[in-house]
Amino acid sequence: MIEIKSSSSNRAEMAAAISLAIMRWQDATQAYDEAVGARLGLNAAERQCLGLLHGGAQSAGAIAVATGLTPAAVTALIDRLEARGLLTRTRSLEDRRKVVIEATDLTRELSARYYGAIARDGEKLIASFSDAELAAVQRFITAALDLQREQLARLKAEAPQAG
């Protein structure tokens, strides 16, 4: 466990400890997601697709944007996950030309099995923070996420470097 020193500590030491904790948290999250994926036979793009659907129905285009896959690759991904009973494809009620992709009960059951304990324990952890602490955490995470998205967009816009 990484310990962040008290407020009497030097600001640079605290910032370094936070940076290290974030890197370890990212690594631990990725390792857990990969272990779940290995257990369920899901690759990274399939896991990302199902994670996106956890927030509600999506279009194939939204899945393509989130995963960075081509439309043809997204169609193949959707076909594989649909064949396994992990998502459904239906026509939009508003626009019959559009297809809506949704998670199935099986996907929700698997999500609860592998991520339910983390969610429940996370809720307990969050409940241990004061309103002021939660506001600071939310402000930090929102800003860090914006920063990460900006850096990803910048990286994707750059020409690939020869290795």
Side-chain angles (χ1 to χ4, degrees):
M1 181 170 136
I2 297 171
E3 187 175 322
I4 298 176
K5 299 183 181 192
S6 70
S7 61
S8 64
S9 294
N10 168 322
R11 185 176 177 87
E13 289 176 7
M14 195 179 304
I18 290 169
S19 293
L20 183 58
I22 290 169
M23 287 188 289
R24 293 213 174 130
W25 182 20
Q26 288 174 321
D27 291 344
T29 299
Q30 183 175 347
Y32 187 83
D33 289 344
E34 288 173 358
V36 170
R39 182 160 292 188
L40 298 176
L42 298 170
N43 66 36
E46 292 165 340
R47 291 191 318 270
Q48 192 172 12
C49 173
L50 295 175
L52 182 64
L53 296 178
H54 184 73
Q58 300 290 325
S59 68
I63 294 169
V65 169
T67 60
L69 296 174
T70 65
V74 167
T75 298
L77 179 144
I78 292 169
D79 288 345
R80 288 191 308 273
L81 294 175
E82 185 177 40
R84 292 184 59 190
L86 296 170
L87 58 76
T88 60
R89 210 185 318 221
T90 56
R91 293 269 172 217
S92 168
L93 297 176
E94 294 83 35
D95 184 346
R96 300 288 297 154
R97 296 169 295 174
K98 291 184 181 180
V99 174
V100 177
I101 313 301
E102 295 181 90
T104 63
D105 288 341
L106 175 59
T107 301
R108 286 184 282 281
E109 289 169 18
L110 292 170
S111 179
R113 180 184 311 159
Y114 292 103
Y115 293 96
I118 291 172
R120 286 187 299 279
D121 290 347
E123 288 171 5
K124 290 176 191 171
L125 178 63
I126 288 170
S128 73
F129 287 83
S130 70
D131 289 352
E133 289 170 324
L134 288 175
V137 170
Q138 182 181 16
R139 183 172 149 253
F140 173 79
I141 290 174
T142 300
L145 183 56
D146 289 345
L147 174 65
Q148 191 75 26
R149 287 179 175 151
E150 289 167 13
Q151 293 300 315
L152 178 60
R154 183 176 297 144
L155 182 65
K156 285 183 174 183
E158 289 178 3
Q161 304 275 323

